[in-house]
CSV table of all heavy atoms in Angstrom, one decimal:
chain,number,residue,atom,x,y,z
A,69,ALA,N,97.4,94.3,94.4
A,69,ALA,CA,97.0,93.7,93.1
A,69,ALA,C,95.5,93.6,93.0
A,69,ALA,O,95.0,93.7,91.9
A,69,ALA,CB,97.7,92.3,93.0
A,70,ARG,N,94.8,93.3,94.1
A,70,ARG,CA,93.4,93.2,94.0
A,70,ARG,C,92.6,94.5,94.1
A,70,ARG,O,91.4,94.5,94.0
A,70,ARG,CB,92.9,92.2,95.1
A,70,ARG,CG,93.4,90.8,94.9
A,70,ARG,CD,92.9,89.9,95.8
A,70,ARG,NE,93.4,88.5,95.4
A,70,ARG,CZ,92.9,87.4,95.9
A,70,ARG,NH1,91.9,87.5,96.8
A,70,ARG,NH2,93.4,86.3,95.5
A,71,SER,N,93.3,95.6,94.4
A,71,SER,CA,92.6,96.8,94.5
A,71,SER,C,92.4,97.4,93.1
A,71,SER,O,93.0,97.0,92.1
A,71,SER,CB,93.4,97.8,95.3
A,71,SER,OG,94.5,98.3,94.6
A,72,GLY,N,91.5,98.4,93.0
A,72,GLY,CA,91.2,99.0,91.7
A,72,GLY,C,92.3,99.9,91.2
A,72,GLY,O,92.5,100.1,90.0
A,73,THR,N,93.1,100.4,92.1
A,73,THR,CA,94.2,101.3,91.7
A,73,THR,C,95.5,100.8,92.4
A,73,THR,O,95.9,101.4,93.4
A,73,THR,CB,93.9,102.8,92.2
A,73,THR,OG1,93.6,102.7,93.6
A,73,THR,CG2,92.6,103.3,91.5
A,74,PRO,N,96.1,99.8,91.8
A,74,PRO,CA,97.3,99.2,92.5
A,74,PRO,C,98.5,100.1,92.7
A,74,PRO,O,99.3,99.9,93.6
A,74,PRO,CB,97.6,98.0,91.6
A,74,PRO,CG,97.0,98.4,90.3
A,74,PRO,CD,95.8,99.2,90.5
A,75,PHE,N,98.6,101.2,91.8
A,75,PHE,CA,99.8,102.0,92.0
A,75,PHE,C,99.6,103.1,93.0
A,75,PHE,O,100.6,103.7,93.5
A,75,PHE,CB,100.2,102.6,90.6
A,75,PHE,CG,100.6,101.5,89.6
A,75,PHE,CD1,99.8,101.2,88.6
A,75,PHE,CD2,101.8,100.8,89.8
A,75,PHE,CE1,100.2,100.2,87.7
A,75,PHE,CE2,102.1,99.8,89.0
A,75,PHE,CZ,101.3,99.5,87.9
A,76,SER,N,98.4,103.4,93.4
A,76,SER,CA,98.2,104.4,94.4
A,76,SER,C,97.8,103.8,95.8
A,76,SER,O,97.7,104.5,96.8
A,76,SER,CB,97.2,105.4,94.0
A,76,SER,OG,95.9,104.8,93.7
A,77,THR,N,97.5,102.5,95.8
A,77,THR,CA,97.1,101.9,97.0
A,77,THR,C,98.3,101.6,97.9
A,77,THR,O,99.3,101.1,97.4
A,77,THR,CB,96.4,100.6,96.7
A,77,THR,OG1,95.3,100.8,95.8
A,77,THR,CG2,95.8,99.9,97.9
A,78,LEU,N,98.2,101.8,99.2
A,78,LEU,CA,99.3,101.5,100.1
A,78,LEU,C,100.6,102.3,99.7
A,78,LEU,O,101.6,101.7,99.5
A,78,LEU,CB,99.6,100.0,100.2
A,78,LEU,CG,98.5,99.2,100.8
A,78,LEU,CD1,98.9,97.7,100.9
A,78,LEU,CD2,98.1,99.7,102.2
A,79,ALA,N,100.5,103.6,99.7
A,79,ALA,CA,101.6,104.4,99.4
A,79,ALA,C,102.6,104.4,100.6
A,79,ALA,O,102.3,103.9,101.7
A,79,ALA,CB,101.2,105.9,99.2
A,80,PRO,N,103.9,104.8,100.4
A,80,PRO,CA,104.9,104.8,101.5
A,80,PRO,C,104.3,105.6,102.7
A,80,PRO,O,103.7,106.7,102.5
A,80,PRO,CB,106.1,105.5,100.8
A,80,PRO,CG,105.9,105.2,99.4
A,80,PRO,CD,104.5,105.2,99.1
A,81,GLY,N,104.5,105.1,103.8
A,81,GLY,CA,104.0,105.7,105.1
A,81,GLY,C,102.7,105.1,105.5
A,81,GLY,O,102.3,105.3,106.7
A,82,SER,N,102.0,104.3,104.7
A,82,SER,CA,100.8,103.7,105.1
A,82,SER,C,101.1,102.6,106.1
A,82,SER,O,102.1,102.0,106.1
A,82,SER,CB,100.1,103.0,103.9
A,82,SER,OG,99.8,103.9,102.9
A,83,THR,N,100.1,102.3,107.0
A,83,THR,CA,100.3,101.3,108.0
A,83,THR,C,99.2,100.2,107.8
A,83,THR,O,98.1,100.5,107.4
A,83,THR,CB,100.2,101.8,109.4
A,83,THR,OG1,98.9,102.5,109.6
A,83,THR,CG2,101.3,102.8,109.7
A,84,ILE,N,99.6,99.0,108.1
A,84,ILE,CA,98.8,97.8,108.0
A,84,ILE,C,98.9,97.0,109.3
A,84,ILE,O,100.0,96.8,109.8
A,84,ILE,CB,99.2,96.9,106.8
A,84,ILE,CG1,99.3,97.6,105.5
A,84,ILE,CG2,98.3,95.7,106.7
A,84,ILE,CD1,100.0,96.7,104.4
A,85,LYS,N,97.8,96.7,109.8
A,85,LYS,CA,97.8,95.7,111.0
A,85,LYS,C,97.6,94.3,110.4
A,85,LYS,O,96.5,94.1,109.7
A,85,LYS,CB,96.7,96.1,112.0
A,85,LYS,CG,96.7,95.1,113.2
A,85,LYS,CD,95.6,95.5,114.2
A,85,LYS,CE,95.7,94.6,115.4
A,85,LYS,NZ,94.7,95.0,116.4
A,86,VAL,N,98.6,93.5,110.5
A,86,VAL,CA,98.5,92.1,110.0
A,86,VAL,C,98.2,91.2,111.1
A,86,VAL,O,98.9,91.1,112.1
A,86,VAL,CB,99.9,91.7,109.3
A,86,VAL,CG1,99.8,90.3,108.7
A,86,VAL,CG2,100.2,92.7,108.2
A,87,VAL,N,97.1,90.4,110.9
A,87,VAL,CA,96.8,89.3,111.8
A,87,VAL,C,97.3,88.0,111.3
A,87,VAL,O,96.9,87.6,110.2
A,87,VAL,CB,95.2,89.3,112.0
A,87,VAL,CG1,94.9,88.2,113.0
A,87,VAL,CG2,94.7,90.6,112.5
Side-chain angles (χ1 to χ4, degrees):
R70 292 188 177 193
S71 73
T73 56
F75 296 109
S76 62
T77 304
L78 296 179
S82 301
T83 56
I84 305 171
K85 181 176 182 179
V86 180
V87 179

